[in-house]
Amino acid sequence: FAGENTAIFSGFRALGLYSNHLAHVLRFHKKHREFYVLTAVGQCFHTYNVSKVSTSDVIIYVFASFIQVVHTYTGHQGDVHLLLPFGDHLISVDKDNVVIIWDVESEDTYLQISYDKASFEVSALMHPSTYLNKILFGSSQGSLQLWNIKSNKLLFTFPGWASAVTVLQQTPAVDVVGVGLASGQIIIHNIRCNETLMKFQQDWGPVTALSFRTDGHPIMASGSPIGHIGLWDLEEKKLVSQMRDAHTTAIAGLTFLQNEPLLITNGADNAIRVWIFDVAGGDGRLLRHRTGHSAPPTKIKHNDQSGLNILSAGQDGTLQSFSTVHERFNKSLGHGTLNKTRAKKKGVTHDTAKLPAITTFASETARQSDWDGIIACHRGFLVTTTWSYQKGSIGAHKLEPERFNKNRSLNVHATAVDITSCGNFAVIALSSGHIDVYNMQSGFHRGHYGKDKAHAGPVRGVSVDALNQLTVSVGADRLLKIWRFKSKELLHTHSLPAAPASSLLHRDSGMLAIALDDFTIQILDMETRRAVRRFSGHRGQINDMTFSPDGRWLITASMDCAIRTWDLPSGSLVDCFLVDAAAVSLSMSPTGNFLASSHVDGLGIYLWSNNTLCSMVSLRPLSADYEPTVIMLPGTCPSKDADSSEMLEYISPAQLDEHLVTLSLLPDSRWKNLLHLDIIKKKNKPKAPPKLPKAAPFFIPTIPGLVPQFALPTTPSEDQSKVVNLGVLAQKSTFYLQLENALDNNSYEEPVKLLRELGPSAIETELRALSPDMGGEVRVMQSFLKMISSILQSKRDFDLAQAYLALFLKLHLRFIADQPELMEEAESVSAHLEETWMSMQTLLNQNICLLSYIKSALL
């Protein structure tokens, strides 16, 4: 499900998508001994276990284990609309009426049949049970053809029943086929004898699906375009039952499970349902289901501080809760209605008091176990409704001000709502300019803001602060007003540069975001009551806004298909990307791990993971001419040749700037204990000499150092002298030789690199060996001091230079004091050291002063 990513957000997964207009496929897993149902969702498909119900293109893809593509078949010129697996072959039909039979393993075309569209347009196909290499094709003209695909021969043509064939389905009896027609007729036909056994007439339009029970009951189910299912008794040849409104759209597919009284159905209303027939002669009873919105969501919001549940209001009039953990925790709060009791009796479809879709809502969990914790506005309705998340249904109160005397001709409707953080009060704003306060427990009216009206025009947004001290409202009269919550007294009025579209308050930080009709956003600080930020860049109406939990980011979505992230402290745009369909609603998880979005014409809720929680993300202000890239929505599959413009990973250089002092990345143990080696050695001195083992194992000798290296054996030459060379006893080390060479070429990179690789004891040995008493020379000691000066001048490895110099002075201080050339070089090192330290101290003092000012100053 993971998709592309931006600097901050990566596509994670889609919630609430279960089915589309394509028929499901049922498969039995022999190893698991369970049925699995597959449904198509966009360019992806979902697999569900039937016992739990938990979770078209020109090119055909074949998947293994539902994870990866193992075969691709290319050859169709038109869109493929029919597929039939057939043993080692796959049969496909495209819109150009070309039938191709593929060899599954080799991906080659085994056979291609081209029909004349005017005489035989393929509309259905099936393999009759026990008919070897035979395929039955149905056409839009009504005729049927039986082909032997191995010999490429047309065996028989059935004239049909003067209506287009929509469905072909094998019955439990051999030779007998169920044929569904566009006229609504269902024909049970014996294809061996070419004899029609029985006919049924469905009154709901064309037959969309057929299935037969195989558990001993002679029942056939038929699907219709209006969502009804007919159940037919094949022995008594009559309609025995109707399952009305099984789906709100056409029945895309229905299948009876083998030898079980279970029927699986799916439709374009984004629902999969499992029905059980456990009463003789009765309707199917809904056993399990997975249902999302059948129309696009209009408003989404995280329900509680855990961030595990997302409330979603859709254009289908329902309020639903989707879990980010598992689908089994999803719940539907139902459809809004003015009369809950009547709606239960009549059903949602026939409820005359049914409310229109929810436009916006507010929720608070503080007292949701005691009374309703959700309040919602409905499109064009003055009445606002309360909902109970605990009970999973519409609540007890229908809140309506008495001032209008229920006069519906006034065309006044609720525009914005908010619930106080304590969960006791609801604030409701109206298109007439009124703002009312209600008690959530009793539903009683508790006052209104302003003498008559709060605003001269429609109120576009209303919010209450965290402590129930202040209420802030914005109206179409271009005014922002701050009121005292309890006394309803007007405290402050602020003029806006344009009419507001909506507002959002971050209660913890006291920052109020106001989206204006000129596509800009203003941030108002509730503490100082001043506009502190102004963001511009959107090129369309701003649909929704959401704050990050810490109030640092404001994420906005608009009709220009852009989702932008603004950083409030710096006042800059730090992230921006485009989506194919404009986002209509956004909600950031209270834990900050996910951003949820819903989109135009999309039925799902899409989750974007926050990259900054998992890795180091360097956020930089985006330039004014920044061109955002289009990011695929999570849960949709990008095409093979889609360009994924990923941001290059930033690799930090060894030194950011030559003027900055840079420390080494070596661990402290490599240089911090250089001055205390004598103490460490004294503590680690063995109490008794080591005992040799009786049978010592063979060890290859190694060279001392931090990186293990084997010592190569030296083969003695035949003419080797027997005279001992005393010069070998005072052999010069590699470090010593490199210091000697550095005197000539004045390059100290190699000796420094070597010292970085040595351990503390080896470094001490090397520095001791520089003294003339240990076989060294004064000029090499002078070279070491020059090496320290070069490190200080380069401003790199500042910590190592200090440690090496301290150890060198500790070992050779008396000797240096007696040598004028060494004293002269030491004074040069001291000057470089003081200069570097003074620049560092200046920077530190400047930063300390700035931090002290920021902490104490009132901005």
Side-chain angles (χ1 to χ4, degrees), residues 245-256:
D245 302 312
H247 289 267
T248 57
T249 59
I251 305 293
L254 51 84
T255 312
F256 278 107

Side-chain angles (χ1 to χ4, degrees), residues 14-90:
L15 302 177
L17 293 175
Y18 301 104
S19 171
N20 64 7
H21 63 284
L22 296 177
H24 65 261
V25 176
L26 191 68
R27 288 290 179 264
F28 182 72
H29 198 292
K30 288 184 179 178
K31 186 178 179 182
H32 296 171
R33 307 293 299 169
E34 287 186 306
F35 284 99
Y36 289 90
V37 62
L38 283 81
T39 58
V41 176
Q43 289 181 302
C44 301
F45 59 84
H46 295 180
T47 308
Y48 298 90
N49 185 320
V50 173
S51 62
K52 299 174 185 175
V53 189
S54 53
T55 217
S56 57
D57 203 350
V58 174
I59 300 173
I60 303 164
Y61 300 102
V62 173
F63 292 79
S65 305
F66 318 131
I67 295 171
Q68 65 187 64
V69 178
V70 291
H71 294 297
T72 304
Y73 307 96
T74 310
H76 281 288
Q77 300 301 315
D79 290 344
V80 177
H81 71 110
L82 293 173
L83 282 175
L84 178 67
F86 183 60
D88 295 332
H89 296 83
L90 176 70

Side-chain angles (χ1 to χ4, degrees), residues 1 96 118 123 125-126 169 251 262 299 361-362 376 423 432 539 593 604 651 785 804 829:
F1 275 73
D96 294 335
S123 58
L125 74 162
M126 66 160 287
Q169 183 65 42
I251 305 293
L262 297 176
K299 173 74 176 175
F361 64 87
S432 59
R539 299 170 187 170
N593 52 358
I651 300 172
L785 289 171
Y804 297 159
V829 172

Side-chain angles (χ1 to χ4, degrees), residues 585-611:
S585 189
L586 295 174
S587 180
M588 190 73 177
S589 166
T591 55
N593 52 358
F594 291 115
L595 171 70
S597 65
S598 63
H599 298 261
V600 172
D601 295 335
L603 301 181
I605 296 171
Y606 300 92
L607 296 182
W608 310 81
S609 57
N610 184 355
N611 298 332

Side-chain angles (χ1 to χ4, degrees), residues 2 4 8 11 61 106 154 163 279 301 326 396 464 481 544 699 708 710 714 828 850 856:
E4 299 169 83
I8 297 178
Y61 300 102
S106 68
L154 173 61
S163 181
V279 179
K301 184 181 183 294
H326 197 279
V464 183
K481 296 185 178 182
D544 202 7
F699 290 106
F710 293 115
T714 55
S828 174
L850 183 63
S856 60

Side-chain angles (χ1 to χ4, degrees), residues 390-460:
Q390 295 285 95
K391 296 176 182 176
S393 66
I394 193 166
H397 305 302
K398 311 291 180 290
L399 305 179
E400 181 178 6
E402 295 179 355
R403 69 173 69 89
F404 299 110
N405 297 319
K406 299 192 176 182
N407 185 353
R408 299 286 183 258
S409 63
L410 295 174
N411 291 327
V412 179
H413 60 274
T415 55
V417 288
D418 196 19
I419 297 181
T420 57
S421 56
C422 60
N424 289 314
F425 299 99
V427 182
I428 301 169
L430 306 179
S431 61
S432 59
H434 296 90
I435 301 176
D436 296 289
V437 181
Y438 293 87
N439 184 286
M440 285 294 289
Q441 182 181 10
S442 63
F444 291 163
H445 188 264
R446 294 300 186 202
H448 64 274
Y449 292 94
K451 292 181 180 179
D452 179 29
K453 294 182 178 182
H455 288 269
V459 183
R460 298 285 173 79

Side-chain angles (χ1 to χ4, degrees), residues 625-851:
D625 58 347
Y626 176 76
E627 288 294 330
T629 55
V630 178
I631 303 295
M632 300 292 291
L633 290 176
T636 57
C637 309
S639 58
K640 278 188 173 182
D641 54 353
D643 295 328
S644 58
S645 56
E646 296 182 1
M647 287 186 69
L648 296 174
E649 185 180 352
Y650 176 73
I651 300 172
S652 177
Q655 190 174 20
L656 294 177
D657 190 271
E658 60 183 11
H659 300 296
L660 298 176
V661 171
T662 306
L663 303 180
S664 72
L665 296 177
L666 292 180
D668 293 354
S669 59
R670 299 273 288 274
W671 56 270
K672 223 174 188 179
N673 298 323
L674 284 175
L675 292 176
H676 311 295
L677 280 176
D678 48 351
I679 302 171
I680 295 170
K681 285 179 180 178
K682 195 173 182 181
K683 283 185 177 179
N684 296 340
K685 189 177 180 180
K687 294 179 180 178
K691 294 181 181 179
L692 288 172
K694 292 180 180 179
F698 170 72
F699 290 106
I700 300 175
T702 57
I703 299 171
L706 292 176
V707 181
Q709 291 180 334
F710 293 115
L712 297 175
T714 55
T715 55
S717 57
E718 294 179 3
D719 56 347
Q720 186 177 358
S721 173
K722 302 280 180 85
V723 179
V724 177
N725 184 4
L726 295 175
V728 175
L729 297 175
Q731 191 174 9
K732 296 176 181 178
S733 68
T734 308
F735 176 68
Y736 190 97
L737 293 172
Q738 287 179 352
L739 283 179
E740 280 186 330
N741 295 335
L743 280 172
D744 302 327
N745 54 27
N746 204 28
S747 173
Y748 289 94
E749 290 181 2
E750 290 301 320
V752 173
K753 184 179 177 183
L754 183 62
L755 274 185
R756 286 171 63 96
E757 295 174 357
L758 297 178
S761 297
I763 292 172
E764 187 196 31
T765 305
E766 292 287 1
L767 296 194
R768 281 186 186 277
L770 299 180
S771 169
D773 297 341
M774 302 295 292
E777 298 178 54
V778 172
R779 67 188 192 93
V780 178
M781 295 178 71
Q782 191 177 359
S783 178
F784 179 84
L785 289 171
K786 286 184 176 180
M787 181 191 79
I788 299 296
S789 292
S790 72
I791 297 175
L792 293 174
Q793 284 175 340
S794 68
K795 298 192 176 182
R796 295 173 64 171
D797 299 329
F798 189 73
D799 47 353
L800 297 185
Q802 303 286 334
Y804 297 159
L805 181 61
L807 179 60
F808 182 78
L809 293 176
K810 179 183 176 182
L811 296 174
H812 307 298
L813 185 61
R814 291 177 183 275
F815 182 76
I816 292 170
D818 297 336
Q819 302 294 325
E821 57 264 56
L822 289 180
M823 279 298 295
E824 184 182 346
E825 195 64 46
E827 286 174 3
S828 174
V829 172
S830 177
H832 285 129
L833 194 61
E834 190 172 355
E835 180 189 347
T836 309
W837 174 243
M838 285 300 294
S839 64
M840 279 187 68
Q841 197 170 30
T842 305
L843 288 172
L844 288 170
N845 288 338
Q846 285 177 354
N847 287 320
I848 290 169
C849 289
L850 183 63
L851 285 171

Side-chain angles (χ1 to χ4, degrees), residues 285-459:
R285 177 173 59 85
L286 186 62
L287 181 65
R288 303 182 197 96
H289 66 95
R290 285 283 179 261
T291 309
H293 283 296
S294 58
T298 54
K299 173 74 176 175
I300 60 173
K301 184 181 183 294
H302 281 84
N303 183 46
D304 50 25
Q305 292 303 307
S306 69
L308 301 180
N309 298 294
I310 301 172
L311 284 171
S312 171
Q315 292 179 17
D316 55 2
T318 62
L319 183 64
Q320 301 198 33
S321 170
F322 294 99
S323 170
T324 59
V325 178
H326 197 279
E327 291 167 346
R328 68 171 175 267
F329 301 122
N330 292 359
K331 65 163 77 172
S332 174
L333 281 71
H335 203 291
T337 179
L338 291 172
N339 192 320
K340 190 174 175 181
T341 310
R342 193 192 309 165
K344 275 188 174 180
K345 289 180 181 178
K346 290 191 172 184
V348 173
T349 312
H350 306 289
D351 181 17
T352 54
K354 185 166 58 176
L355 287 168
I358 294 171
T359 54
T360 186
F361 64 87
S363 68
E364 185 56 57
T365 57
R367 302 299 295 270
Q368 70 173 8
S369 57
D370 300 321
W371 51 75
D372 300 340
I374 303 168
I375 186 161
C377 301
H378 297 265
R379 185 180 293 123
F381 251 66
L382 174 62
V383 176
T384 52
T385 53
T386 61
W387 300 70
S388 171
Y389 185 82
Q390 295 285 95
K391 296 176 182 176
S393 66
I394 193 166
H397 305 302
K398 311 291 180 290
L399 305 179
E400 181 178 6
E402 295 179 355
R403 69 173 69 89
F404 299 110
N405 297 319
K406 299 192 176 182
N407 185 353
R408 299 286 183 258
S409 63
L410 295 174
N411 291 327
V412 179
H413 60 274
T415 55
V417 288
D418 196 19
I419 297 181
T420 57
S421 56
C422 60
N424 289 314
F425 299 99
V427 182
I428 301 169
L430 306 179
S431 61
S432 59
H434 296 90
I435 301 176
D436 296 289
V437 181
Y438 293 87
N439 184 286
M440 285 294 289
Q441 182 181 10
S442 63
F444 291 163
H445 188 264
R446 294 300 186 202
H448 64 274
Y449 292 94
K451 292 181 180 179
D452 179 29
K453 294 182 178 182
H455 288 269
V459 183

